[in-house]
Amino acid sequence: MPSPVTLTLDEAGAFARAALIAANTSAENAESVARALVAAEADGQAGHGLSRVSSYAAQSKSGKVDGHAVPDFSRPAPALLRVDAGLGFAYPAFDLVIDALPGIVAETGIGLAAIRHSHHFGQAGAHCEKLAEKGLVAFVFGNAPKAIAPWGGRKPLFGTNPIAFAAPLSEGRAPLVIDLAVSRVARGRILSAQKAGLPIPEGWALDVEGNPTTDADAGMAGTMIPIGEAKGAALALMVEVMAAALVGASLAFEASSLFTGEGAAPNLGQTVIAIDPGMSSAGAYGERMETLVAAIEAEDGVRLPGSRRLEARARAAREGLTIPAAVHAEIAALAGEDWRDA
Amino acid sequence: MPSPVTLTLDEAGAFARAALIAANTSAENAESVARALVAAEADGQAGHGLSRVSSYAAQSKSGKVDGHAVPDFSRPAPALLRVDAGLGFAYPAFDLVIDALPGIVAETGIGLAAIRHSHHFGQAGAHCEKLAEKGLVAFVFGNAPKAIAPWGGRKPLFGTNPIAFAAPLSEGRAPLVIDLAVSRVARGRILSAQKAGLPIPEGWALDVEGNPTTDADAGMAGTMIPIGEAKGAALALMVEVMAAALVGASLAFEASSLFTGEGAAPNLGQTVIAIDPGMSSAGAYGERMETLVAAIEAEDGVRLPGSRRLEARARAAREGLTIPAAVHAEIAALAGEDWRDA
C-alpha cells in the first residue's frame, strides 16, 4: 500500500488550489476554497478537508458548481445582509460575510447574513471562529443533504445539520468554538465503515424500516440517529428552518449530492448571526466569560470544547499535514506535475 | 388523599393572581406572572405551572424577588434592547420584549433583547411562540441554577439550559415551537422521584463522583446527564454564554435557588433574538415552510414537535385545569377565602 504523504500547510494550499484551477475554478475562488479545506484538514476535520478536492473539482468541471461565481450581496434592512453565492462554492460567500458583517454589527449591535445559491460549507465552526476573532459572538446554521428522519418517521428529511457557535475569550486565547452535528456520529464514519466493509456499532443508524442496524450499507440507506432522540431531530428541524426557509434555499431533501458532478446545483443555504457582546452586556461580557472559563478549567482534566481541534492545528503548523496516498493521488491527477510552480 | 381540583383557566388565573398579590406583588406583575403560569399548566408543563405559585410567593414576601419591580429598557444600538427586569419576576420583562422587539425588527430585520436582573422564565417556548405569532422567527436562551457538568467533569456548572425556538407557519396554524432542555430528562423528574422515594432509571443522572446512579438523592446531589454526551454539555455552555455572559447576569453556578425565599436574588439573564423571515428570504419563507411541513406530515404518524402541547392546551381550554390537591391548598392558603371576589 502506498505511504501517506506529508505536505506543509503552504504546499497543501498550493496543491489544492492548482487542482481546482485545473478543474475550471477561478484563481480567487480556488484560493478561498483551498484555504478552507487546508484549515479543516489541519483542525483534524478530514471529512471537510482535502478529501473534498476531487469531488469539488468534479462539480466545477461539470458546471454543477460555478467555479467562476462572484458572490454578490444586498442589504435589505440595516442589520441584514442577503448574499448570493451564485451557485458557486460556499467559501467565497463566507469570506464576504466575515468581511462585511462586523461593520454592520458595529452599527446595529446584531446582524444576520442569509446566504443562498450556496454549496457545502465545510467546517461550520471555522466561520464562526473568524467572527469571534473580530470580537463577535456568532452562530452559523447550514443544512446538508438528507440523513435524519423527523422523530417517529423512517424517511430522512433533514441533514445532519450542525449547530456552530463561537465566542471571544480573553486577549491571547483562541475563541471558544462549539461545532456539532445533531446526529450521534458524523455520517462520514458510516461511509468509512461502508467503504471498509466493516459493521457499525448499534446506536449510530437505523435501516429504511426504522430499525437499529449494525450494517453500514443499511445505515447509509436508512437514517442517522439524532442526539437525545426526539430532541436532536427537533434541533435538525430548527437548523433546516434557519438555513433553508429563512434564506429561501433548498431543503435537505431537495438538495443534490455534494459529492458527485451529476445533477443540478445543490442550492443550499446558510445563515450567520453575529452579535457585539460588549454592547449587549454594557461591557460586562469579558469578566463574565473569564469567570465562566476559569470555573470550567478549575476541575482537573476538564477542557473547553474545541481544545483537541486547537492542538491538531498547532501540530499541523509544526509538522505539516499527512494525507492518505489515495487522496494525494486524486489531487495530483488534477493538479498535474507542475503545481509547485503554479 | 384529597382529590385534585379543577378550575377554569380564568379561575386559575384569578386564583394565582390573588395569591401573588397577597404576597407583596403588584397587581400588574401578578397578572403577568399568573398568565404565564396558567399557560404553562395548560400546555402540560406543570413544572413551570401553578406548582410555582407558593415558591414565587415566598420569594416576593421575603424580598428576594421585587414583586413591585417595573422593567425598564434602553436601546444602545438600533437592533439591541437592553432590559432591566429590576430583580423582579421575569414575565413582565418578557411582556415588554414581546411588545417592543417586533417594532425594532421591522426597522432592522433582526433584533436582540438582553434581559438582566431576571428570574425564572418558565416555559421558554411560550415567549418565542408569542413572537412567532407576530410573524417572527425567534430564539430564547436562558440559564438556570447549576445541574450539568462540563464534559469530563463531576461538578455541576451549567443549568439544564433550554434551547427554545419558534417559527411562524401558514395562516391559521399555531407556530412551530421547539423547546428542549439539554439534559436527557427534566430535573423535575428526578425531584419527583426523590419526593416519592423512588429510584430513577440509569442514564438520567450521575452521582457526585461522576458515576451513573439510580438513586434519586444521589442524582439530585450530582449532575444531570446531557443529551449526546459531550454535545449536550457543549450546548449547555453555549446557552450559558448567550443567557449570562452576553447580558451581564449570574452564571448558573452563581445563581441562588428559584424555589426558596432565602438568599440573594438569582439575577439570571435571558436573551431573545427575533428575525423577520420575509425580509431575510426576500419573500420565500412561507412557501419554504409549507414545503418542509408538508414533507414532515406526509409520513403516517409523524407530527411536528410541540403537537402534544397544543393538544393539552386545547383540552385545558375545554375542560379547565386539574391541579393536585396539595398545589391547590398551597395557593388557597395564600389567596384567602375571598379570591373569587378580588
Side-chain angles (χ1 to χ4, degrees):
Chain A
M1 210 164 83
S3 308
V5 179
T6 300
L7 298 170
T8 67
L9 297 179
D10 283 348
E11 284 172 338
F15 192 39
R17 204 164 54 230
L20 291 162
I21 290 172
N24 198 25
T25 296
S26 71
E28 197 176 348
N29 288 344
E31 168 67 28
S32 169
V33 173
R35 196 167 49 228
L37 297 182
V38 167
E41 190 81 35
D43 282 4
Q45 305 288 315
H48 297 304
L50 296 168
S51 67
R52 294 274 179 170
V53 172
S54 72
S55 62
Y56 280 12
Q59 292 171 73
S60 182
K61 263 189 194 164
S62 74
K64 184 176 179 179
V65 169
D66 178 357
H68 293 267
V70 177
D72 195 12
F73 71 96
S74 64
R75 194 173 169 185
L80 285 188
L81 204 57
R82 269 181 58 77
V83 178
D84 186 344
L87 299 178
F89 291 108
Y91 307 107
F94 272 96
D95 293 343
L96 186 160
V97 167
I98 290 159
D99 192 49
L101 204 50
I104 289 177
V105 176
E107 286 175 35
T108 57
I110 182 172
L112 181 145
I115 307 174
R116 67 189 186 282
H117 294 153
S118 193
H119 191 257
H120 175 246
F121 69 120
Q123 192 188 3
H127 308 299
C128 294
E129 186 177 18
K130 290 194 189 113
L131 290 163
E133 284 166 354
K134 299 184 176 196
L136 304 177
V137 168
F139 288 94
V140 170
F141 301 99
N143 63 352
K146 63 182 181 180
I148 292 180
W151 192 244
R154 291 176 298 187
K155 279 179 60 178
L157 286 183
F158 314 137
T160 49
N161 290 6
I163 295 178
F165 174 78
L169 297 183
S170 52
E171 197 63 32
R173 281 193 71 154
L176 167 68
V177 177
I178 291 168
D179 180 356
L180 51 94
V182 299
S183 51
R184 284 206 198 148
V185 298
R187 195 144 194 253
R189 291 177 71 180
I190 301 188
L191 196 62
S192 300
Q194 188 185 34
K195 281 186 180 168
L198 293 170
I200 55 172
E202 196 155 319
W204 285 16
L206 303 175
D207 66 19
V208 291
E209 298 298 327
N211 298 314
T213 185
T214 57
D215 182 80
D217 290 329
M220 284 303 291
T223 61
M224 305 288 301
I225 299 181
I227 59 169
E229 306 186 322
K231 292 185 179 188
L235 291 173
L237 168 57
M238 177 181 94
V239 174
E240 204 66 40
V241 174
M242 289 301 297
L246 204 70
V247 167
S250 290
L251 299 161
F253 65 86
E254 298 168 330
S256 58
S257 166
L258 298 173
F259 288 103
T260 70
E262 287 82 51
N267 188 21
L268 290 171
Q270 290 101 25
T271 288
V272 184
I273 294 174
I275 305 158
D276 184 320
M279 278 192 212
S280 65
S281 69
Y285 174 83
E287 180 280 323
R288 295 283 68 200
M289 283 303 283
E290 279 188 29
T291 303
L292 176 57
V293 170
I296 293 168
E297 294 180 339
E299 194 174 342
D300 265 358
V302 179
R303 305 193 304 169
L304 292 182
S307 300
R308 208 157 30 176
R309 186 179 40 76
L310 293 176
E311 286 167 8
R313 186 183 297 178
R315 193 166 51 242
R318 283 194 314 271
E319 302 170 10
L321 297 176
T322 299
I323 57 175
V327 170
H328 186 268
E330 281 172 357
I331 304 174
L334 291 156
E337 291 297 317
D338 305 327
W339 65 269
R340 283 175 201 272
D341 310 322
Chain B
M1 211 164 83
S3 307
V5 179
T6 299
L7 298 170
T8 67
L9 297 179
D10 283 347
E11 284 172 337
F15 192 38
R17 202 163 56 230
L20 291 163
I21 290 171
N24 198 26
T25 295
S26 71
E28 196 176 348
N29 288 343
E31 168 67 28
S32 169
V33 174
R35 195 168 49 228
L37 297 181
V38 167
E41 190 81 34
D43 281 4
Q45 305 289 315
H48 297 303
L50 296 168
S51 67
R52 295 274 179 169
V53 171
S54 72
S55 63
Y56 280 12
Q59 292 170 74
S60 182
K61 263 187 192 164
S62 74
K64 184 176 180 179
V65 169
D66 179 357
H68 293 267
V70 177
D72 195 13
F73 71 96
S74 63
R75 193 172 169 186
L80 285 189
L81 204 59
R82 268 180 59 77
V83 178
D84 186 345
L87 299 177
F89 290 107
Y91 307 106
F94 273 96
D95 292 344
L96 186 160
V97 167
I98 290 158
D99 193 48
L101 205 50
I104 289 176
V105 177
E107 286 175 35
T108 57
I110 182 172
L112 180 146
I115 307 174
R116 66 189 187 282
H117 294 152
S118 192
H119 191 257
H120 176 247
F121 68 120
Q123 191 188 3
H127 308 300
C128 293
E129 185 178 18
K130 289 192 189 117
L131 289 164
E133 284 167 353
K134 298 183 176 196
L136 305 178
V137 168
F139 288 94
V140 171
F141 301 100
N143 64 352
K146 62 182 181 181
I148 292 181
W151 192 244
R154 290 175 301 187
K155 280 179 60 179
L157 287 183
F158 314 136
T160 48
N161 291 5
I163 295 178
F165 174 79
L169 297 183
S170 52
E171 197 65 33
R173 281 194 72 155
L176 167 68
V177 177
I178 291 169
D179 180 356
L180 51 95
V182 298
S183 51
R184 284 207 197 150
V185 299
R187 196 146 194 250
R189 291 177 73 181
I190 301 189
L191 196 62
S192 301
Q194 187 184 34
K195 281 186 180 168
L198 294 170
I200 54 172
E202 197 155 316
W204 284 17
L206 303 175
D207 66 20
V208 289
E209 299 298 328
N211 298 313
T213 185
T214 59
D215 182 81
D217 290 328
M220 284 303 289
T223 60
M224 305 289 300
I225 299 181
I227 59 169
E229 306 187 321
K231 293 185 179 187
L235 292 173
L237 168 57
M238 177 182 94
V239 174
E240 204 66 40
V241 174
M242 290 301 296
L246 203 71
V247 167
S250 289
L251 298 160
F253 65 87
E254 298 168 328
S256 59
S257 166
L258 298 173
F259 288 103
T260 71
E262 287 84 50
N267 188 21
L268 290 171
Q270 290 100 26
T271 289
V272 184
I273 294 174
I275 305 158
D276 184 320
M279 278 192 214
S280 65
S281 70
Y285 175 84
E287 179 280 324
R288 296 282 68 200
M289 285 301 284
E290 278 187 29
T291 303
L292 176 58
V293 169
I296 294 169
E297 294 180 337
E299 193 174 341
D300 263 358
V302 178
R303 305 192 305 168
L304 292 183
S307 300
R308 206 155 34 176
R309 185 179 42 76
L310 293 175
E311 287 167 7
R313 186 183 296 177
R315 194 166 51 240
R318 283 194 313 270
E319 302 170 9
L321 297 176
T322 299
I323 58 175
V327 170
H328 185 268
E330 282 172 357
I331 304 174
L334 290 156
E337 290 297 317
D338 306 327
W339 64 269
R340 282 175 201 273
D341 311 323

